[in-house]
């Protein structure tokens, strides 16, 4: 028991580091020596109180050991970095394409191992992520695009930047994802005649594995041609989730079957078990083989090798690694002829996962996979008597469905209500038919297995598509407070405990039904919201684009929807999760100021994800966004309304501007003024200097604002001196992407605002920015400051940043 507690302390210590805002100095681990000396001194003591103190110190020692083990890993990984002086500079490198290239709308993306830097003074990380855009792929001589494959050695001109991602509440942490995968810089390949292939294949095992994965995908594409579900079969065989179309991902998400598309515990354990059973039976039939090795040991070796091969074939992703470690613990126990308790397997698997990957605790998959296994153990292990296999299966499915609800709400704020039915059908078909057929089809002579697999998958997808179309199949709610999650988990454990008293569904431990009440705070407790007359403004970090949420007591308005990315958009990736996490069930008004993709790119996916009352826009009536709206109107000066004692007024464009075909989309941008008795905000979108002058001429008295979202991201074509002086903002926010190609905000523009005395913030450095107008004052906070973690991007200087302001109006 003490060993289990010590392993849990080690895991807890490693997880504790991942919550630190700053990385501790490694020299502080010397404090562990003092604890160790004290433990040694108390070793021979027999007094009960001293034994208890010794046990506590041992637990604390392993806690510190896990903490500083993770610290050492972090220091080692962060030491390989790209200096700021070499960001956004053209650098020639030689290296190897280390992973499968993933295609997107504009080209390819892959990880690249840097072997040589052609600039003597340059310091480049050993592993980087590169995008190769289609317009840069053209060869200057024959105008053909080269074939990009894993394992190729290239000489390339690249332009890099430090790891940086959008920072928003309830969103994914891209910088943590990069750190866990040891990707220490990102960038793209520059167009150059010097870009050339040096070697078609580098003979190292890791590159050959990636090459083989690519060849399997190529053959699957050739055999399946244009069949719609080819991507799913590629994923089941090679673990490459990028090949599944976005609309199919939505079906899997709505039906709760998305976990079946990741090669993790379920698939790897299945393959290992099938190989174990086959080898055991064949080995047991041969007296010659049995004399040389017991059948059980031979089957263990074969099963573990099968799991390793499948994990490598899947790209050795982190979920596959966790499953392999767990199977290894089981294999060692069987090899030694020892019956290992399921809890021991779980504890040792935890230890090995954290030992090799200290960042695992910040991955949702870590909590979901180990949570599912713990629930299965809870309802299966240690039960007295036997039950029918169907009853056991139902009990396990019930436990997983109910038991993972707190984690799913904490991590994603949504749970599929149809998942028990969808998984009851999908798990057997995918696990026992589709996965074996996909793996058999990896062998070149078994193309028929691939075709058969697609037929089975097509029938399954008909059912999943039908289930996904049911209304209200997904329960969505706000992000629950941490304490409610802990209480709910304890309540569910109480509900699932075994027992021998009474009869019926709730037989066993007394009053197990009380566990239901422990779940209520998680579901019922609502997040705070503005009071009457208050205005809460959130400027989301969507990169080079704009998305601003304005909230009053009973209403919500979103101004613009951010950009579209290569294979996604900010509506689905950033805005919808934020709204869901904040408990916002619908938007009363969605304003899409104009057609530029950095302002309208997320609109369609957002309108699919959340109900929208009215669309207000300058878009043409035939634009897809306008067509998708249930109720849409053109924005024009003079429109006004009031919500909860907060006033909204449109200042631009004029109604006649929409009929002027010579106007650019920027010129017709919607301009909104929001006013409360505590302060106000002006959102001018992408208007230019000519439109600013027009506003000064006809609506100068309405321009002064407490907070200004800088026009056109701080470009040289806007933010004229007269406009800034008239608005006279106390705070100006630039919504820009990190090292964006437009170089926004421009230094001249920054100087104008600084000379006016305005406080300046920018979304690429602060993340999401929240401004609260309440109590006759306004205050501002930054997500990067509130949610500081040691791996997050640091800036050498932030001369115009002043956070946590609280100013009287």
């Amino acid at each position: 028991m003490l060993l289990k507690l010590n392993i849990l302390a080690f895991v807890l210590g490693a997880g504790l580091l991942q919550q630190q805002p700053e990385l501790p100095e490694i020299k502080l681990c010397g404090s562990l020596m003092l604890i160790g000396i004290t433990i040694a001194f108390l070793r021979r003591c027999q007094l009960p109180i001293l034994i208890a103190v010794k046990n506590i110190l041992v637990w604390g020692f392993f806690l510190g050991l896990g903490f500083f083990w993770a610290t050492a890993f972090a220091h080692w990984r962060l030491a390989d970095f790209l200096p700021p002086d070499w960001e956004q500079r053209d650098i020639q490198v030689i290296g190897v394409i280390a992973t499968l290239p993933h295609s997107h709308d504009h080209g390819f993306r892959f990880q690249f191992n840097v072997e040589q830097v052609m600039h003597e003074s340059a310091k480049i990380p050993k592993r980087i992520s590169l995008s190769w855009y289609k317009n840069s792929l053209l060869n200057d001589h024959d105008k053909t695009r080269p074939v990009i494959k894993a394992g190729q050695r290239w000489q390339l001109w690249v332009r890099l930047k430090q790891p940086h991602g959008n920072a928003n509440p309830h969103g994914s942490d891209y910088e943590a994802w990069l750190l866990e995968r040891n990707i220490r810089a990102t960038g793209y390949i520059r167009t150059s005649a010097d870009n050339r292939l040096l070697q078609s294949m580098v003979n190292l095992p890791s590159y050959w594995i990636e090459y083989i994965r690519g060849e399997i995908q190529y053959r699957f594409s050739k055999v399946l041609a244009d069949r719609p579900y080819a991507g799913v079969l590629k994923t089941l065989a090679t673990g490459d989730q990028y090949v599944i179309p976005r609309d199919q991902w939505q079906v899997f998400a709505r039906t709760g079957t998305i976990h079946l598309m990741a090669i993790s515990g379920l698939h790897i354990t299945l393959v290992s078990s099938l190989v174990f059973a086959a080898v055991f039976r064949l080995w047991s039939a041969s007296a010659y083989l049995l004399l040389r090795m017991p059948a059980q040991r031979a089957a263990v070796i074969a099963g573990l090798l099968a799991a390793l091969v499948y994990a490598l074939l899947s790209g050795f992703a982190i979920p596959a690694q966790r499953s392999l470690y767990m199977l290894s613990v089981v294999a060692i126990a069987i090899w030694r002829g020892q019956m290992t308790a399921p809890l021991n397997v779980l504890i040792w698997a935890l230890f090995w996962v954290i030992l090799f990957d200290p960042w695992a605790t910040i991955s949702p998959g870590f909590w979901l996979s180990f949570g599912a296994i713990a629930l299965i153990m809870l309802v299966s292990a240690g039960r007295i008597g036997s039950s029918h296999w169907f009853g056991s299966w139902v009990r396990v499915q019930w436990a997983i469905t109910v038991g993972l609800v707190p984690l799913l709400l904490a991590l994603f704020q949504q749970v599929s209500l149809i998942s028990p039915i969808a998984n009851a059908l999908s798990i057997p078909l995918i696990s026992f038919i589709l996965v074996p057929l996909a793996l058999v089809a990896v062998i070149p002579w078994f193309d028929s297995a691939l075709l058969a697999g697609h037929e089975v998958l097509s029938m399954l997808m008909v059912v999943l598509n039908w289930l996904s179309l049911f209304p209200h199949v997904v329960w969505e709610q706000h992000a629950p407070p941490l304490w409610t999650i802990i209480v709910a988990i304890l309540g569910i454990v109480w509900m699932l405990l075994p027992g021998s008293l009474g009869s019926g569904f709730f037989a066993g431990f007394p009053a197990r039904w009380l566990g239901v009440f422990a779940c209520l705070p998680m579901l019922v407790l609502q997040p705070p919201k503005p009071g009457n007359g208050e205005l809460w403004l959130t400027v989301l970090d969507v990169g080079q684009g704009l998305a601003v949420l304005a909230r009053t007591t009973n209403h919500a308005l979103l101004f613009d929807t951010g950009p579209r990315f290569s294979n996604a958009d900010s509506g689905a990736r950033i805005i919808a999760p934020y709204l869901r996490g904040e408990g916002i069930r619908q938007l009363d008004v969605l304003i899409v100021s104009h057609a530029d993709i950095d302002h309208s790119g997320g609109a369609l996916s957002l309108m699919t994800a959340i109900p929208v009352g009215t669309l207000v826009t300058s878009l043409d009536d035939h634009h897809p966004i306008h067509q998708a709206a249930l109720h849409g109107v053109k924005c024009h000066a003079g429109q006004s309304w009031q919500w909860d004692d907060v006033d909204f007024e449109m200042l631009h464009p004029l109604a006649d501007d929409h009929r002027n075909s010579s106007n650019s989309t920027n010129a017709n941008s919607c301009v909104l003024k929001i006013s409360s008795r505590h302060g106000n905000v002006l959102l001018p979108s992408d208007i230019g200097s000519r439109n600013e002058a027009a506003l000064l001429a006809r609506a100068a008295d309405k321009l002064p604002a407490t907070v200004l979202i800088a026009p056109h991201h701080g470009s040289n074509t806007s933010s004229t001196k007269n406009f800034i002086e008239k608005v006279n903002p106390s705070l100006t926010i630039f919504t820009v992407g990190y090292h964006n190609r437009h170089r926004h905000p421009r230094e001249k523009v920054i100087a104008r605002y600084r000379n006016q005395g305005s406080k300046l913030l920018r979304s690429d450095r602060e993340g999401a920015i929240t401004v609260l107008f309440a109590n006759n004052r306004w205050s501002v906070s930054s997500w990067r400051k509130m949610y500081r973690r040691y791996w997050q991007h640091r800036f050498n200087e932030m001369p115009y940043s002043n956070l946590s302001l609280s100013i009287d109006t």
Side-chain angles (χ1 to χ4, degrees), residues 87 278 284 303 329 346 380 453 467 495 531 542 549 590 670 689 790 802:
E87 288 188 288
S284 299
V329 172
L346 186 67
S380 302
L467 290 173
M495 289 168 56
V542 294
L549 178 70
L590 170 62
C670 307
S689 57
Y790 69 84
N802 190 352

Side-chain angles (χ1 to χ4, degrees), residues 546-688:
L546 182 65
V548 181
L549 178 70
R551 281 186 279 178
T552 66
T553 305
N554 299 303
H555 298 277
L557 174 148
L558 183 70
F559 190 94
D560 281 342
T561 60
R564 186 169 64 217
F565 310 124
S566 296
N567 286 325
D569 60 64
S570 51
R573 184 180 292 178
I574 296 172
I575 302 172
Y578 176 77
L579 296 176
R580 187 165 54 241
E582 292 295 305
I584 298 173
R585 301 293 183 89
Q586 69 174 24
L587 291 170
D588 297 283
V589 171
L590 170 62
I591 298 178
V592 179
S593 64
H594 62 298
D596 283 7
I597 202 66
D598 58 332
H599 292 252
S600 63
L604 288 174
S605 61
L606 182 65
M607 293 165 72
T608 302
I610 187 169
V612 173
T614 300
L615 172 71
V616 180
T617 182
S618 66
L619 298 175
D620 185 90
D621 291 341
H622 301 293
H623 194 284
I625 295 173
H626 215 303
Q627 294 288 316
L630 296 177
H631 179 232
V633 298
K634 289 287 187 70
C635 63
H636 62 82
Q639 292 170 321
S640 64
W641 64 95
Q642 187 183 81
W643 289 338
D644 307 313
D645 289 337
V646 177
D647 296 315
F648 297 76
E649 183 176 6
M650 200 69 67
L651 304 183
H652 184 80
L654 297 175
D656 290 340
D657 290 339
H658 294 294
R659 293 188 286 271
N660 188 348
S661 59
S662 64
N663 279 353
S664 66
T665 56
N666 286 351
N668 283 348
S669 295
C670 307
V671 175
L672 181 68
K673 175 78 175 290
I674 310 176
S675 303
S676 75
R677 58 177 175 265
H678 313 287
N680 43 48
V681 59
L682 181 65
L683 297 100
S685 190
D686 276 0
I687 61 171

Side-chain angles (χ1 to χ4, degrees), residues 415-464:
V415 176
S416 173
L417 301 179
I418 206 75
S419 65
I421 298 174
N423 278 289
L425 177 64
S426 302
I427 290 176
L429 283 177
I430 291 177
S431 300
F432 297 105
I433 298 178
L434 289 177
V435 169
L437 286 175
L439 290 178
V440 168
V442 165
I443 305 171
W445 303 280
F446 291 91
D447 292 347
S448 57
L450 197 56
L451 296 171
H454 192 274
E455 291 302 313
V456 174
L457 181 58
S458 297
M459 292 186 287
L460 174 62
M461 290 302 296
V462 169
V463 178
L464 293 182

